[in-house]
Amino acid sequence: SQSCPDGAKRRVCYYYDRAIASVDYGEHHAMIPRRVDMAHALIRSYGLLRDMDRLRTRPATAEEISGFHDGGYVGLLQDVTSEGFKAGGEMTHRAKGFNVGEVSEDHVSIDNPPFAGLWDYCQRYAGGSLAAARALASEEVDIAINWSGGMHHACHKTASGFCYVNDIVIAIMELLRHFRRVLYVDIDVHHGDGVETAFIDSNRVMTVSFHQRTKDFFPKERGFVSHVGVGKGQYRAVNVPMNKGMNDEAYHGMFKPIMSKVMDVFKPEAIVMQCGGDSLSGDRLGHLNLSIAGHAQCVSFMRSFGTPLLLLGGGGYTINHVAACWCYETAVAIGKEINDDIPVHCYDMYYESQGYKLHYPVDKKLKNNNTDSYMAQTKSTVLQNLSELEA
Ligand code: TV1
Ligand code: CA
Ligand code: ZN
């Protein structure tokens, strides 16, 4: 461990499974699991592996995954590899009921394709998040990292938005065995719908999602400020919708006051943070304008409370940006400054367009479409909702 800006040290453990690097969603798919391998190669070349314990674990079992998911759906995921898919075949029909292989509105792209090794992939990324949760519960580590996890859209009996098994829900359920209250923070550009729904009526889990909310942006009709949770979960779902072009300064004008208030009123005993890299400037799918430093400030801010912290990946579709970001955030978790020059390593050619620097410039031509009054209004409504939880 090293000292860090807030003066404290943290014990960090890190999960990485190289089998995930070769997972292929299909030739033109936006999701590229290899970005986790790229992040790992950077982390290793910066020497950061020496400052963390490596979390070695087995893949999650069908029983562990069935702790959240429907048995029939888990059965389908297991069968995808063995039986294969033929157009119009029995398996194809069965899978569609679970939103696997369903062709989207444009009749070309399939968000959740069936592919060889799908079940093994799910078991591995979920196994990593589960082991990370157990490491935190054992109180032997302060921060646990799984950049291959963070699949926030998967539902009880359906795949959604590139996600098949919701490792986040499974990890939170494990944390709830040891901690009274768990906070979930989601800085992926998309709304964290699967996690919000799973705990919508729980008073032991608060979910907070910051996301782009523009017409037709996925997932539609989710993530409005007015969605605050139901029953015992009322005011324990927090949504911060944003228009395109949000920059570091504007984002933190919302993130810091809202998360301070969340910590104040909810007093979590553990924090799970989904660090999707699609909220970064220049993402292929997202249209926010965060720098790596701005994205990582969210991580360092949540770290500063000293509460056990689980860091997960998620989206991120401009893969050099994502890998650089997660490497930098690994350094933030450890509490170590790292040089902006990307070391010579196996993937270094991917960083040519950013001049072989970790921190690339944001899009100066992208206008922040969030007016001051829009942001003040959103922040004020969210803070007002949170104050309902004050004793
Ligand atoms: C195959 C090939 C699939 C190219 C999907 C972008 C593709 C997208 C593809 C894509 C794409 C979406 C919808 C479709 C509404 C659906 C990991 C029914 C260039 C966490 C998931 C976004 C984000 C799903 C996941 C979205 C995460 N956008 N190219 N698909 N219709 N789906 O809009 O939050 O990052 O885009
Ligand atoms: Ca989000
Ligand atoms: Zn996303």
Side-chain angles (χ1 to χ4, degrees):
S1 313
Q2 312 271 329
S3 65
C4 37
D6 64 6
K9 294 174 188 226
R10 299 290 190 281
R11 298 159 298 173
V12 183
C13 75
Y14 170 78
Y15 174 78
Y16 166 75
D17 183 342
R18 77 173 162 220
I20 288 169
S22 54
V23 171
D24 189 355
Y25 277 66
E27 213 182 344
H28 302 289
H29 204 284
M31 176 57 94
I32 301 172
R34 204 178 62 254
R35 73 220 159 107
V36 176
D37 199 49
M38 291 169 61
H40 177 75
L42 257 188
I43 288 164
R44 187 182 46 213
S45 64
Y46 271 108
L48 299 177
L49 292 179
R50 288 192 294 272
D51 299 310
M52 305 184 283
D53 281 329
R54 186 79 172 265
L55 197 54
R56 305 207 185 258
T57 187
R58 52 172 179 71
T61 63
E63 289 68 39
E64 287 166 334
I65 290 170
S66 302
F68 171 58
H69 290 286
D70 167 76
Y73 175 53
V74 171
L76 178 273
L77 292 178
Q78 289 176 276
D79 289 348
V80 161
T81 44
S82 49
E83 292 184 39
F85 275 76
K86 292 188 290 290
E90 188 269 330
M91 175 64 91
T92 307
H93 181 78
R94 192 179 143 213
K96 276 186 179 171
F98 299 111
N99 205 24
V100 172
E102 186 63 273
V103 175
S104 73
E105 281 140 33
D106 59 19
H107 303 288
V108 191
S109 57
I110 300 176
D111 274 358
N112 319 307
F115 53 79
L118 172 60
W119 173 244
D120 184 70
Y121 165 58
C122 293
Q123 286 184 289
R124 288 175 190 276
Y125 74 72
S129 298
L130 198 46
R134 288 184 179 134
L136 291 167
S138 77
E139 298 187 17
E140 278 163 22
V141 302
D142 304 308
I143 302 178
I145 301 176
N146 174 17
W147 296 129
S148 65
M151 307 308 271
H152 59 174
H153 300 304
C155 299
H156 174 61
K157 49 164 65 186
T158 53
S160 174
F162 320 159
C163 306
Y164 303 86
V165 162
N166 199 315
D167 61 298
I168 307 172
V169 172
I170 293 169
I172 292 174
M173 288 170 67
E174 182 66 24
L175 290 168
L176 288 172
R177 292 159 53 116
H178 303 270
F179 300 106
R180 276 174 297 188
R181 286 174 308 282
V182 177
L183 169 65
Y184 174 65
V185 190
D186 184 316
I187 62 169
D188 188 289
V189 76
H190 298 96
H191 178 248
D193 56 352
V195 186
E196 184 185 88
T197 301
F199 300 108
I200 196 71
D201 59 0
S202 171
N203 60 354
R204 294 181 63 201
V205 178
M206 178 178 281
T207 62
V208 186
S209 177
F210 295 80
H211 44 265
Q212 178 178 330
R213 247 228 61 79
T214 49
K215 189 177 175 292
D216 293 343
F217 196 68
F218 185 87
K220 284 186 202 173
E221 306 308 324
R222 294 296 302 261
F224 294 95
V225 186
S226 59
H227 297 179
V228 297
V230 306
K232 281 164 88 181
Q234 196 182 25
Y235 303 121
R236 290 173 183 86
V238 177
N239 284 295
V240 188
M242 295 162 169
N243 298 308
K244 293 181 183 183
M246 199 77 174
N247 56 36
D248 291 351
E249 195 195 344
Y251 198 97
H252 284 290
M254 311 270 269
F255 188 87
K256 287 175 183 170
I258 290 171
M259 294 319 300
S260 297
K261 183 87 176 180
V262 159
M263 293 303 289
D264 212 39
V265 302
F266 187 62
K267 298 184 171 54
E269 293 183 346
I271 302 172
V272 176
M273 188 163 182
Q274 198 268 24
C275 305
D278 46 10
S279 43
L280 289 167
S281 180
D283 188 73
R284 230 185 112 192
L285 300 191
H287 300 96
L288 301 189
N289 207 10
L290 289 181
S291 71
I292 288 180
H295 197 274
Q297 252 185 61
C298 298
V299 175
S300 63
F301 191 71
M302 296 318 296
R303 178 188 188 275
S304 71
F305 295 96
T307 305
L309 179 62
L310 173 48
L311 296 178
L312 301 170
Y317 305 99
T318 303
I319 58 177
N320 47 313
H321 294 173
V322 185
C325 181
W326 289 345
C327 172
Y328 185 68
E329 288 173 347
T330 303
V332 165
I334 294 164
K336 199 174 186 177
E337 298 282 341
I338 56 173
N339 198 285
D340 197 25
D341 296 317
I342 287 180
V344 173
H345 72 294
C346 56
Y347 287 113
D348 58 15
M349 63 285 194
Y350 283 81
Y351 304 92
E352 188 188 348
S353 64
Q354 58 195 79
Y356 303 102
K357 300 288 185 193
L358 211 52
H359 297 276
Y360 66 93
V362 299
D363 184 347
K364 283 175 199 70
K365 288 185 291 243
L366 180 58
K367 175 172 165 285
N368 180 9
N369 267 322
N370 299 271
T371 61
D372 288 345
S373 75
Y374 171 81
M375 290 187 291
Q377 175 67 61
T378 302
K379 185 166 81 178
S380 143
T381 307
V382 168
L383 293 176
Q384 209 176 308
N385 289 340
L386 284 167
S387 63
E388 296 290 334
L389 295 175
E390 268 162 1

